[in-house]
Amino acid sequence: MKPRYLILGLIALLGLAPLVLAPYYVTLLNYIGLYALVVLGLVLLTGVGGMTSFGQAAFVGLGAYTTAWLTTAEQLPTWLQWASASPWLTLLVGVALTVTVALMLGALTLRLSGHYLPLGTIAWGLSLYYLFGTLEPLGGHTGVGGLPAISLGGISLDQGEKMFYLIWLVLGAAMLITHNLLDSREGRAIRALKGGQLMAESMGVNTFRSKMVIFVIAALFAAVSGWLYAHTQRFVNPTPFGLGMGIDYLFMALIGGVASIWGALLGAGILTVLKEWLQDWLPHLLGDGGNYETIVFGILIVLLMHCAPGGLTPWLGKWFKGRTRTAPLPQAQALPRRAAVEHGTRILQANQVTKRYGGLVANNQMNLHIDAGEILALIGPNGAGKSTLFNLLSGVDRPTSGDIHFKGLPLNGKTSRHVARLGMSRTFQHVKLLPGMSVLENAALGAHLRGHQGVIAASLNLDRAEEQQLLAEARYQLERVGLGDALQEDAASLALGQQRILEIARALCADPCLLLLDEPAAGLRLQEKQALTALLKRLRAEGMAILLVEHDMDFVMGLVDRVVVMEFGQPIAQGLPEEVQNNPAVLEAYLGGADA
């Protein structure tokens, strides 16, 4: 079955549901919609962004309590009295408050890593939960009742059957916004957060900004769910906003598929229905003397994690896939290119660069320069400090002492993102690609800095013209390196040699004037090496400067203009390839002796 037919069928069923189902089932569907909206934020935050949060229930409470207080308080501050006129106005206040709180909490917790991040979300989640139950204006643990119904087009949505359509319309809009966002330049940056932050920063992505974006979006989805919940129940107390519910939201995401938009809906539906069934049937089977439903539910979750660790959506997806057709990319206007640098112009100058890690000296007073239209090879035995120098030049790491200038500008203290913006692009010794993304999307990430449309434009699908330009640039560079027939393949399915070529295409998408290649020929066959040699020579003829680290001497000596040889973190020889090949110090270091 094709996905679009499944979506149309689901919309039709939802449209008929309140007309044919009993109120109990409509209420159940309302809860599923409200929960799915919160879980959708976790799909972005945890499944896509790789940041586990136990605190989403607290943001639900923030949206619910904001509207509860504004619509029921007997006396409001003068500057807030306008908001009490309508629940729609309280939604605006709730959104503004949620963004403010999310920005503050994000600034405190998103720089944490490992187990400290989820522990941080537990801390502020509990703090907000106890705040809701402590503040007297919010009714304490008794709660706040008497909330007004939402009115839409003159119709009062004072019953669950009437709220049904609003809840599912909001959920549908949120799913569409999430889909649009992930299918964009900003979405590629967000998807790079999980396992590719170092690479993404080197491609010009502000990874902390991307983390903050999805953290705020997830908080907003939760707050809107809380607003809808408050006016559906017409009553609010702290119970649904505690840590236990935050854990349930994560379970919903895991059940459905933590990285899937549809998994949010599937997981919310399965967990909600399963809990209802267990609570109804287990007391009849086992008696009502204990919380057997919690025990059975926990066992089922563990079994599911073993059988379908990616959730149910990927497992079910194979049944609903239609034939995949690769549509040709529409023609797009070429992206503007960087002004060419005149041949022979000094591009990079490193003076007395030293890097120490405690007592270990990885680079010791390294001097290096490269000009436009030149290919320079950096060679040496394993452990000589070549990759460390690459990291220093590209801003991934900072030198202990010494100066680096790129295009006449000092790089000391600059981030890899800033260096990329200046026109330096790189590959990595250990291939850094994003599995699950296509070859085309991986390459397009390199063009991130050449786009300008932001999150709002991406969410509303207003960035399509620029997106086509970025994808057209990625296709051009992939065809240039010989991967034009693999555009829609999963990058992880490529052979190692092809993955290295893909990294070069991604680096070229940034339109650099200096290209750093870390062992580009490793894993390539003879024909692929010959094609790579031809490509690098064309780039040199266009005025690009290329600095490469390589162990394949046949590849290096037939390609480069100059060679710098390193040993123990410092240069021992440099010059023309022929000169370096016959240098006794090089033979001793590289081959184990001049007679070898």
Side-chain angles (χ1 to χ4, degrees):
M1 183 184 294
K2 293 184 178 180
R4 65 173 176 269
Y5 296 148
L6 184 65
I7 294 172
L8 290 174
L10 178 62
I11 292 173
L13 288 174
L14 288 173
L16 293 173
L19 305 177
V20 298
L21 294 178
Y24 168 80
Y25 294 106
V26 174
T27 300
L28 200 61
L29 286 172
N30 283 345
Y31 279 116
I32 291 172
L34 293 171
Y35 295 157
L37 186 56
V38 183
V39 178
L40 189 61
L42 282 175
V43 166
L44 275 174
L45 190 62
T46 302
V48 179
M51 296 175 287
T52 303
S53 173
F54 290 91
Q56 294 308 107
F59 284 123
V60 179
L62 195 61
Y65 269 104
T66 299
T67 192
W69 179 61
L70 290 174
T71 55
T72 62
E74 295 181 359
Q75 187 173 2
L76 289 172
T78 305
W79 60 276
L80 260 183
Q81 290 178 357
W82 59 272
S84 63
S86 167
W88 294 101
L89 296 176
T90 66
L91 176 61
L92 296 179
V93 177
V95 165
L97 179 61
T98 300
V99 169
T100 302
V101 173
L103 288 173
M104 291 190 296
L105 293 177
L108 292 172
T109 57
L110 295 184
R111 297 188 188 277
L112 301 174
S113 59
H115 57 275
Y116 293 106
L117 176 58
L119 286 175
T121 66
I122 291 174
W124 56 253
L126 286 173
S127 297
L128 287 175
Y129 167 72
Y130 284 113
L131 182 67
F132 299 146
T134 301
L135 293 179
E136 186 176 343
L138 301 183
H141 286 282
T142 303
V144 180
L147 276 68
I150 296 173
S151 295
L152 183 62
I155 301 174
S156 177
L157 307 182
D158 53 358
Q159 296 179 357
E161 294 85 349
K162 295 179 180 179
M163 283 293 295
F164 175 90
Y165 292 109
L166 178 60
I167 290 171
W168 284 87
L169 181 63
V170 171
L171 175 61
M175 293 175 73
L176 181 61
I177 286 171
T178 305
H179 174 270
N180 290 341
L181 177 61
L182 293 178
D183 186 28
S184 69
R185 164 182 170 269
E186 291 281 359
R188 284 188 293 274
I190 291 168
R191 285 184 281 170
L193 294 175
K194 194 173 182 179
Q197 291 189 48
L198 174 63
M199 175 271 296
E201 285 281 340
S202 296
M203 294 298 111
V205 175
N206 186 336
T207 55
F208 182 75
R209 173 186 174 275
S210 295
K211 289 179 181 180
M212 190 66 81
V213 163
I214 57 176
F215 187 77
V216 170
I217 291 175
L220 284 176
F221 285 171
V224 172
S225 176
W227 176 77
L228 289 167
Y229 169 83
H231 290 286
T232 300
Q233 293 290 102
R234 315 280 289 279
F235 171 79
V236 174
N237 74 345
T239 303
F241 313 127
L243 181 60
M245 196 63 208
I247 295 173
D248 278 355
Y249 288 132
L250 275 174
F251 276 146
M252 292 176 193
L254 290 171
I255 291 170
V258 73
S260 168
I261 293 174
W262 287 101
L265 179 56
L266 183 63
I270 289 176
L271 188 141
T272 304
V273 172
L274 183 61
K275 274 196 165 185
E276 288 292 320
W277 285 351
L278 292 175
Q279 288 172 357
D280 288 343
W281 288 100
L282 286 181
H284 295 290
L285 297 175
L286 303 175
D288 55 4
N291 293 323
Y292 294 110
E293 68 275 5
T294 304
I295 299 171
V296 174
F297 176 73
I299 294 172
L300 291 175
I301 291 293
V302 172
L303 291 175
L304 177 65
M305 294 301 99
H306 277 285
C307 299
L312 294 177
T313 302
W315 184 71
L316 294 173
K318 60 184 178 182
W319 299 103
F320 299 105
K321 282 185 178 178
R323 292 182 180 179
T324 56
R325 293 181 298 174
T326 304
L329 291 173
Q331 295 297 318
Q333 184 179 358
L335 289 169
R337 299 205 171 272
R338 198 182 304 273
V341 180
E342 185 178 352
H343 277 255
T345 303
R346 184 60 46 90
I347 290 288
L348 181 73
Q349 180 76 51
N351 298 316
Q352 301 292 303
V353 173
T354 298
K355 180 61 181 179
R356 293 186 177 90
Y357 296 99
L360 174 66
V361 181
N363 287 150
N364 185 22
Q365 297 184 348
M366 277 295 303
N367 293 307
L368 190 77
H369 72 271
I370 185 169
D371 300 332
E374 180 183 30
I375 301 179
L376 174 64
L378 187 64
I379 68 173
N382 288 328
K386 305 181 297 297
S387 293
T388 299
L389 183 59
F390 256 41
N391 289 337
L392 298 177
L393 296 177
S394 60
V396 172
D397 209 344
R398 296 185 179 186
T400 305
S401 62
D403 298 311
I404 301 172
H405 287 78
F406 178 55
K407 296 166 64 174
L409 301 172
L411 295 188
N412 290 42
K414 298 293 191 297
T415 64
S416 57
R417 187 173 68 251
H418 183 89
V419 173
R421 188 176 295 277
L422 291 175
M424 188 188 302
S425 196
R426 65 168 296 180
T427 64
F428 295 86
Q429 180 182 12
H430 303 291
V431 174
K432 297 185 185 298
L433 298 175
L434 299 175
M437 286 175 58
S438 69
V439 169
L440 183 68
E441 289 178 303
N442 268 275
L445 187 63
H448 181 84
L449 279 175
R450 302 173 70 184
H452 305 285
Q453 297 287 355
V455 174
I456 295 177
S459 300
L460 300 178
N461 214 29
L462 301 176
D463 64 337
R464 291 300 92 186
E466 181 183 87
E467 178 68 3
Q468 293 303 330
Q469 287 183 293
L470 297 176
L471 294 177
E473 175 69 16
R475 179 180 62 177
Y476 167 70
Q477 299 296 351
L478 287 167
E479 291 172 345
R480 201 178 186 190
V481 301
L483 290 177
D485 294 332
L487 300 181
Q488 302 301 333
E489 293 184 22
D490 190 324
S493 69
L494 298 181
L496 176 60
Q498 290 178 308
Q499 291 181 0
R500 291 194 178 277
I501 295 297
L502 172 54
E503 279 208 320
I504 295 174
R506 183 181 64 199
L508 290 174
C509 284
D511 189 29
C513 55
L514 173 59
L515 189 60
L516 306 184
L517 303 178
D518 202 342
E519 300 188 22
L524 299 188
R525 295 170 294 185
L526 177 60
Q527 187 176 2
E528 292 171 329
K529 289 180 184 178
Q530 292 172 341
L532 177 58
T533 298
L535 171 65
L536 297 182
K537 287 182 177 179
R538 289 199 304 272
L539 295 174
R540 174 175 60 188
E542 295 170 7
M544 187 178 296
I546 301 171
L547 174 61
L548 62 88
V549 167
E550 188 52 68
H551 290 291
D552 188 330
M553 290 301 100
D554 291 334
F555 175 78
V556 168
M557 296 306 175
L559 170 66
V560 304
D561 300 296
R562 289 188 300 116
V563 179
V564 173
V565 185
M566 291 182 65
E567 185 183 26
F568 301 122
Q570 57 190 6
I572 59 172
Q574 57 182 308
L576 299 175
E578 298 82 6
E579 298 172 351
V580 170
Q581 277 182 305
N582 298 314
N583 188 303
V586 175
L587 294 174
E588 177 68 27
Y590 217 83
L591 301 177
D595 296 330

